[in-house]
Amino acid sequence: MDEASIYTIIGEDGFRRLVAGFYGQVPDDDILGRMYPANELAAAEQRLRDFLIYRFGGPQRYIEERGHPRLRARHFPFQIDQAARDRWMQLMNKALTDAALPIEVEQFLRAFFEQMSTFIINQESPVRRS
Ligand code: HEM
């Protein structure tokens, strides 16, 4: 599917529901809860929503406010290993299911998030000793 058409299909409201579903799970999460700034969650929610809207064919608000996304670099302040990445995907996969978007959009976004979240890993997982 043409990724720029996603905004036309699900609109502002689709992205709003998806990202709200994700952030609603963050505060109680034992890995991500302490990573996201508690007093800035609403602003963080807006940044992810605006980014996705810009990335998938909607208004360019994210670029106007934040400039080029440089997503990997913007995540350097956070320690993101495989476990954090997998948890992020788990929350996002639940949000995707709950948002009940058209199936072709859901599948496209799932694949996009899988790839991006792996790209954002910036720490080795701790070595497990038995
Ligand atoms: C791999 C697991 C990930 C973790 C643990 C993580 C964590 C975080 C944290 C803690 C922030 C700071 C919250 C804020 O103040 O905005 C953030 C920001 C952000 N994240 Fe992630 N993230 C992950 C993956 C992703 C993915 C896959 C995307 C995009 C598809 C993404 C997009 C963003 C955006 C757009 C921002 C705001 C950047 C800015 O403009 O400052 N993140 N992330």
Side-chain angles (χ1 to χ4, degrees):
M1 77 181 290
D2 170 16
E3 57 181 63
S5 65
I6 292 183
Y7 182 80
T8 316
I9 301 170
I10 69 171
E12 196 91 16
D13 182 62
F15 286 107
R16 184 174 299 278
R17 284 189 291 118
L18 174 64
V19 175
F22 175 82
Y23 273 96
Q25 303 171 76
V26 165
D28 292 333
D29 188 87
D30 61 340
I31 299 180
L32 302 182
R34 47 192 142 90
M35 211 182 275
Y36 285 84
N39 54 352
E40 272 229 39
L41 268 192
E45 185 173 328
Q46 186 179 351
R47 286 190 275 274
L48 180 57
R49 185 172 66 234
D50 284 352
F51 167 75
L52 294 173
I53 287 172
Y54 133 76
R55 181 69 178 64
F56 292 106
Q60 305 291 293
R61 256 189 328 259
Y62 180 84
I63 298 290
E64 286 157 19
E65 283 171 19
R66 307 292 290 165
H68 189 278
R70 300 182 304 112
L71 276 195
R72 212 176 123 71
R74 281 204 215 261
H75 287 80
F76 285 154
F78 311 107
Q79 296 189 5
I80 304 180
D81 62 7
Q82 185 73 41
R85 178 264 179 215
D86 289 350
R87 184 61 63 80
W88 195 99
M89 267 319 299
Q90 192 184 318
L91 268 51
M92 185 52 85
N93 275 328
K94 178 168 188 329
L96 274 165
T97 303
D98 292 349
L101 303 171
I103 188 68
E104 69 276 15
V105 171
E106 180 180 330
Q107 282 169 352
F108 191 97
L109 290 179
R110 253 184 233 278
F112 169 78
F113 288 130
E114 287 282 349
Q115 205 180 28
M116 281 299 292
S117 59
T118 299
F119 170 68
I120 280 170
I121 292 175
N122 56 25
Q123 305 275 314
E124 298 274 341
S125 302
V127 179
R128 286 182 216 292
R129 298 175 204 280
S130 49

